Each structure stands twice: as C-alpha cells, then as structure tokens.
C-alpha cells in the first residue's frame, strides 16, 4: 500500500466519524479562532480551501454577515457531502476543488482561509501559488498547521501505541502528514516559492482537547482519519485491535474518566 497516497483519502465511514468524534475533539476551538480572525478583517468574499466536514465553514457562517459571500471547497466530495448535510441555513457555495488547481478566476477573493489542510497538499508551493492567484491585491491568506506531534498529546499517544502493536510497519500517518509540516522556515520558503513576497506572521496557539474517556480519541484517530486506511491494510482485525490498544494507552496515560490533553498549532497570516 502507498501510505502517502492514502493520506488524502477521506471516504467510506471516515467523514461521519471524523465529524462526530474528531471535530469536537481537536478542531472546533481552532475553527472559532480562525473565524474570529477572518471576521476582524471584514472581507466581502471568502474562499475556504480543504473545508472538510465544514467546521470552519459553520464558524464563518456564524461570525460573518450574510452579505459576505462564502465559498467552501474540498478535494474529497464525501467530506463536502457531510458538510452540507450538517450545515445551517446560511447560504454557502460548496465546490469540489483541488487546492493545486482552483476553479476560480484571478483576484476573486479578498480572503482565503484553510484549516489544517496545507499539510495534505502534495506540492505546497503550487497550492500557495493558487491561493495567491485567486486573492485580490492586498488580500489575506490565513491558515493553520499542527505543531510537532510531541506537542499534541492524544495524537502522540496513539502513534506510540500503534508502533508497539505493529512494530514491523508502524502506521505513521499522524506524524507524517497532520504533524509533519510545522517548521517555520519550510513554510516561509514554500510561501516564497508560491509567489508571496510579504512577510508571513506566525502565532503559536495552545489549547486543551477534552473527551469523556480514552475511547473517544482512540476511535477519532484510528477510525475517523486516513490513519484507518493504513491500519486496515495490515489485516481484517487490525482496526478493532488498534482501537482497543489505543484506548488502553489513553486510559493508562490520562486516567479512566474524563480526560484532557494538550494540543498546539501555528496560525499563519500573509498578505498577497
């Protein structure tokens, strides 16, 4: 199996599990953070890239006036289907789109936002160039990326537990992709290669992830992300075994009752 290829596959039951478990676990607080930043710039037309199941889209819909046009895109149509199914009544234009080949004319948007998506782009400078192309002069590109996995406790525990369960070929999706693009110098270089010439502003934001038990993050990561594709490739019983082992590791680390762990991300802002 080409693990790097399956890192971008959000299909089957993953979108629903992702939205049910992972969104409240780690995404909602950062979605509110991004939406607040977007609202402070008073944009007239916003493009969201890699919208997933729409947690940021919903936050934008609440934070922005109805006069602000919101266009939400994602590479995976099943994720957009889920996003539309749980969206509110606020008008949003939903479009399936590849971040490296956006289906929009130059200069259409005065703000482009992307939550935890740039790590998945195979050619990051090309994706950055596309974001810059569709921005109006002086427009803002706002995105966030997870910090290194050691600063994100639940993901770190899951990765270590899976390494112990599958030592011959440890499933490394979380460290490789979601937490694999956090170095400031690399991000700055890719932005320059993408045509941005202004200085990027970085802000590190720490938060806490809360769950009713260790079972919740075990299901969230093992079954609600593309890590599932890597685990299921091991064998027919691998997913249930992995979920059980990660549940035990979470309980051992954080206790049997309600748990919480550190999460940390970098917010990046740059003008076109």
């Amino acid at each position: 199996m080409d693990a790097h290829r399956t890192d971008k596959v959000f299909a089957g039951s993953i979108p629903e599990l992702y939205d049910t478990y992972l969104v409240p676990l780690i995404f909602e607080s950062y979605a509110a953070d991004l939406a607040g930043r977007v609202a402070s710039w008073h944009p007239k037309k916003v493009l969201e890239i890699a919208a997933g199941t729409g947690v940021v889209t919903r936050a934008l819909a609440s934070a922005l006036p109805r006069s602000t046009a919101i266009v939400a895109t994602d590479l995976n149509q099943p994720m957009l289907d889920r996003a539309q199914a749980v969206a509110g009544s606020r008008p949003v234009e939903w479009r399936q789109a590849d971040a490296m080949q956006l289906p929009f004319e130059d200069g259409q948007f005065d703000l482009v936002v992307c939550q935890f998506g740039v790590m998945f782009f195979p050619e990051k400078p090309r994706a950055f160039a596309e974001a810059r192309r569709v921005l109006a002069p002086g427009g803002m590109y706002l995105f966030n990326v997870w910090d290194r996995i050691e600063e994100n406790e639940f993901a770190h525990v899951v990765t270590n537990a899976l390494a112990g369960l599958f030592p011959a070929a440890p499933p490394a999706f979380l460290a490789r992709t979601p937490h694999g693009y956090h170095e400031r110098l690399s991000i700055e270089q890719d932005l320059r290669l993408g045509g941005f010439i202004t200085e990027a502003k970085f802000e590190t934001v720490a938060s806490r992830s809360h769950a009713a038990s260790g079972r919740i993050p075990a299901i969230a990561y093992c079954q609600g992300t593309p890590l599932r594709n890597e685990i299921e490739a091991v064998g027919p019983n691998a997913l249930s075994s992995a979920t059980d082992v990660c549940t035990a590791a979470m309980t051992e680390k954080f206790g049997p009752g309600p748990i919480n762990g550190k999460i940390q991300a970098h917010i990046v802002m740059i003008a076109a």
Side-chain angles (χ1 to χ4, degrees), residues 101-182:
Q101 192 174 358
L102 294 171
F104 306 107
E105 298 295 327
D106 296 357
Q108 281 200 25
F109 302 92
D110 45 17
L111 191 143
V112 174
V113 61
C114 181
Q115 167 147 290
F116 301 124
V118 302
M119 307 91 76
F120 292 86
F121 302 156
E123 299 175 51
K124 293 172 180 64
R126 180 179 171 187
F128 289 152
E130 278 292 275
R132 181 178 177 274
R133 179 184 65 78
V134 302
L135 276 169
M140 184 66 65
Y141 186 26
L142 171 65
F143 63 92
N144 54 15
V145 295
W146 290 116
D147 201 350
R148 65 194 189 108
I149 198 167
E150 291 82 2
E151 300 291 347
N152 290 269
E153 292 183 302
F154 288 173
H156 196 213
V157 169
V158 165
T159 298
N160 288 339
L162 293 177
L165 180 61
F166 305 115
F173 163 75
L174 295 176
R176 180 178 61 244
T177 301
H179 297 279
Y181 189 62
H182 53 80

Side-chain angles (χ1 to χ4, degrees), residues 24 45 100 153 167 175 202 207 219:
K45 191 171 184 180
M100 296 189 298
E153 292 183 302
F202 286 74
S207 186
I219 294 173

Side-chain angles (χ1 to χ4, degrees), residues 128 143 145-147 181-192 198-204 266-269:
F128 289 152
F143 63 92
V145 295
W146 290 116
D147 201 350
Y181 189 62
H182 53 80
E183 294 290 345
R184 177 169 179 163
L185 290 178
S186 296
I187 296 169
E188 288 177 328
Q189 180 181 35
D190 287 341
L191 286 167
R192 288 194 298 271
T198 59
E199 182 179 356
K201 297 179 181 179
F202 286 74
E203 183 180 341
T204 300
H266 303 304
I267 315 300
V268 185
M269 299 158 278

